[in-house]
Amino acid sequence: MEESDDGQYDYLFDDDDDDDYDKDVGSDSGPQPQADHLLMQLTDLLASTPHPPPPRTTPPTTIPGFHLYRTHLPPTLLASYTTWLTARYFSSPTSNQAMHFGPLLDPTTPLGYLARLCRPLRHNPLAFDQAIVNMYAAGEGIGDHVDLRRFMDGICGVSFGAPAVMRLARVMGGGGGGWQERYAEEVEGEDAVYVEVRPGDVYVLEGEARWKWTHGFPRQIEGRDNVVGRRISVTLRTLVPDE
């Protein structure tokens, strides 16, 4: 992550072509004993939790392809997930991100359960094969950005910890070669849409929302901190197949 001048992390139109991925990137060390114990508890809880219900209908937004599903993660799992994610990935004060890559996210694992929970929410029929886990301390945020073009349409984010307001803004201009072209980095501030994302919520970006709108979590909104406590997000994506 690159920190911008205003203290917000900025991925805007990142086009890094390094494809040398590890299975688990970003953790300073392997799972600690506490994380292993919490993993066992969470795995048992997942096994006894009923399968996710059908997606709840949410009010339409002004952005085509943006959907927000309130409390889509069963409330009984929220605290356990938050505790395990913190112990597994963020036990070191220098750690704030981890990534997983693989052909499939095993549905019997915690991240795989989230993938199974989110898959019916998008139109892309392919399975998720990449997960990124981010931790934001109080007062931190991430700048407006469009996810890398190496990821397919249909991105899902699951929120844990503190609530925060997501900012979405329309991208100006754009070439005529399709939505996967690089667009101009300027955004139209007057078209910005603000949506509160709460613990257990899942948001989906597909179609126009995926390619023609930026999204981010501002560090501050109207002079106040947006994130007032630790927030953890798990973002699920599908890599574009190699040609």
Side-chain angles (χ1 to χ4, degrees):
M1 286 189 290
E2 180 179 352
E3 191 169 5
S4 60
D5 293 338
D6 64 355
Q8 300 183 51
Y9 293 108
D10 192 359
Y11 291 88
L12 187 58
F13 296 105
D14 185 1
D15 200 22
D16 181 10
D17 290 326
D18 182 7
D19 290 322
D20 185 15
Y21 295 133
D22 292 328
K23 294 292 182 183
D24 187 357
V25 183
S27 299
D28 287 348
S29 60
Q32 301 299 314
Q34 180 189 15
D36 287 339
H37 177 66
L38 293 169
L39 174 60
M40 291 177 60
Q41 291 182 330
L42 179 56
T43 301
D44 290 342
L45 185 57
L46 292 176
S48 62
T49 301
H51 284 195
R56 298 181 181 180
T57 302
T58 55
T61 70
T62 57
I63 305 175
F66 175 80
H67 308 283
L68 181 67
Y69 298 89
R70 294 288 187 202
T71 60
H72 191 62
L73 181 70
T76 53
L77 298 177
L78 266 179
S80 295
Y81 258 106
T82 304
T83 302
W84 173 71
L85 288 166
T86 301
R88 170 63 182 89
Y89 298 108
F90 309 120
S91 58
S92 167
T94 61
S95 297
N96 62 8
Q97 185 182 87
M99 296 185 189
H100 287 277
F101 292 86
L104 290 174
L105 297 175
D106 187 332
T108 63
T109 66
L111 294 181
Y113 180 92
L114 295 180
R116 185 181 69 180
L117 187 78
C118 294
R119 187 172 177 180
L121 305 182
R122 67 174 191 168
H123 290 96
N124 186 342
L126 300 180
F128 294 106
D129 57 12
Q130 194 265 355
I132 180 168
V133 187
N134 284 312
M135 187 275 289
Y136 306 94
E140 291 184 344
I142 181 170
D144 295 338
H145 64 284
V146 174
D147 283 36
L148 295 171
R149 289 175 292 157
R150 66 162 58 98
F151 298 109
M152 299 183 69
D153 197 32
I155 293 172
C156 292
V158 190
S159 188
F160 303 88
V165 173
M166 173 187 278
R167 177 183 188 269
L168 299 106
R170 187 189 303 276
V171 177
M172 294 176 62
W179 284 358
Q180 294 195 36
E181 275 197 358
R182 176 188 294 266
Y183 287 91
E185 296 189 2
E186 296 83 4
V187 297
E188 299 177 356
E190 63 271 18
D191 285 345
V193 175
Y194 294 84
V195 181
E196 183 183 22
V197 179
R198 305 167 189 166
D201 288 355
V202 175
Y203 64 83
V204 179
L205 302 169
E206 58 185 356
E208 189 168 325
R210 161 71 176 100
W211 304 107
K212 292 191 173 182
W213 288 72
T214 65
H215 62 281
F217 289 86
R219 185 171 55 84
Q220 290 191 329
I221 297 177
E222 297 182 348
R224 293 196 227 174
D225 285 346
N226 184 17
V227 181
V228 296
R230 174 178 284 187
R231 177 177 179 269
I232 296 175
S233 67
V234 177
T235 304
L236 299 161
R237 303 181 288 198
T238 302
L239 287 161
V240 175
D242 293 334
E243 296 182 358

